[in-house]
């Protein structure tokens, strides 16, 4: 079966711009989570969506937002980009609570 | 803040040797998971061990969990060059959401 698909793979944006990243989970997985990975902070949890509702949220500013559609696909948006937002953004889907995550290959965002 | 912390931060071994990585965490957990990440790509789920389990095996991987010491270990037997990667443990806190919190990882290099 198809894995978790993230698009685009690479992105270069300018400070102040906004960006939208997309994630298609494994078919049947209703939980989609987003993580930010940087060398300095490691893997940081952004938010989790389940059945189109944000169920959990990490400690990130309001510039980071997301949503989930009825087909479980998810998008995350970052507005007013800052240099520190440069990171690998990872999406993961899970069958249910207490199950392992399947990660996508990530979107590498560079803010210049 | 990271719930789990891996030790050592870096490990360099020869092909055929065993590799052992440890993870310590602070609060009681529901589950502990181990993931592998190759060179800035997505994470691959290796093993999930529940708080009432003490040991699990998957191929050349063996994971142990000691809840009294709040620690886990991942053993890779007969290492191969292809095992070169970063290995992360992730825990979800008992009584909280099932969102896994990741450690900083152990960087494993297996020399051919």
């Amino acid at each position: 079966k198809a894995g978790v698909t993230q698009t685009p793979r690479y992105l270069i944006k300018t400070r102040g711009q906004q960006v939208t990243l997309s994630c298609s989970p494994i078919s049947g997985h209703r939980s989609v989570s987003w993580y930010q990975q940087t060398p300095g902070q490691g893997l940081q949890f952004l938010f989790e969506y389940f059945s189109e509702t944000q169920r959990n949220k990490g400690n990130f500013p309001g510039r980071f937002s997301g949503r989930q559609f009825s087909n479980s696909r998810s998008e995350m948006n970052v507005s007013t980009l800052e240099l520190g937002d440069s990171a690998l953004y990872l999406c993961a889907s899970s069958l249910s609570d207490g199950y392992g995550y399947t990660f996508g290959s990530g979107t590498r965002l560079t803010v210049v | 803040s990271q719930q789990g912390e891996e030790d050592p931060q870096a490990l360099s071994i020869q092909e055929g040797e065993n590799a052992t990585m440890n993870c310590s965490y602070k609060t009681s957990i529901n589950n502990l998971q181990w993931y592998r990440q190759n060179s800035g790509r997505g994470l691959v789920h290796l093993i999930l061990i529940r708080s009432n389990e003490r040991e699990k095996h998957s191929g050349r991987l063996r994971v142990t969990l000691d809840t009294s010491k709040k620690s886990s270990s991942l053993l890779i037997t007969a290492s191969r060059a292809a095992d070169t990667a970063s290995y992360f443990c992730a825990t979800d806190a008992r009584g909280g959401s099932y969102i896994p919190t990741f450690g900083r990882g152990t960087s494993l290099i297996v020399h051919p």
Side-chain angles (χ1 to χ4, degrees), chain B residues 25 29 50-54 65-71:
Chain B
Y25 56 92
I29 60 171
R50 305 197 187 279
S51 60
N52 61 352
E53 298 174 311
R54 291 296 165 256
L65 179 64
D66 187 335
T67 53
S68 67
K69 295 181 179 177
K70 291 187 171 59
S71 67

Side-chain angles (χ1 to χ4, degrees), chain B residues 9-59:
Chain B
Q9 288 187 336
L11 184 59
S12 179
I13 60 174
Q14 295 296 129
E15 230 175 10
E17 295 181 338
N18 294 342
T20 299
M21 288 157 267
N22 303 296
C23 172
S24 59
Y25 56 92
K26 297 184 180 68
T27 62
S28 296
I29 60 171
N30 295 309
N31 307 292
L32 186 143
Q33 305 178 57
W34 285 92
Y35 289 82
R36 183 187 77 229
Q37 184 179 38
N38 289 85
S39 193
R41 297 185 64 85
L43 282 74
V44 174
H45 182 256
L46 297 176
I47 288 182
L48 182 151
I49 186 166
R50 305 197 187 279
S51 60
N52 61 352
E53 298 174 311
R54 291 296 165 256
E55 188 171 310
K56 285 189 91 166
H57 296 255
S58 177

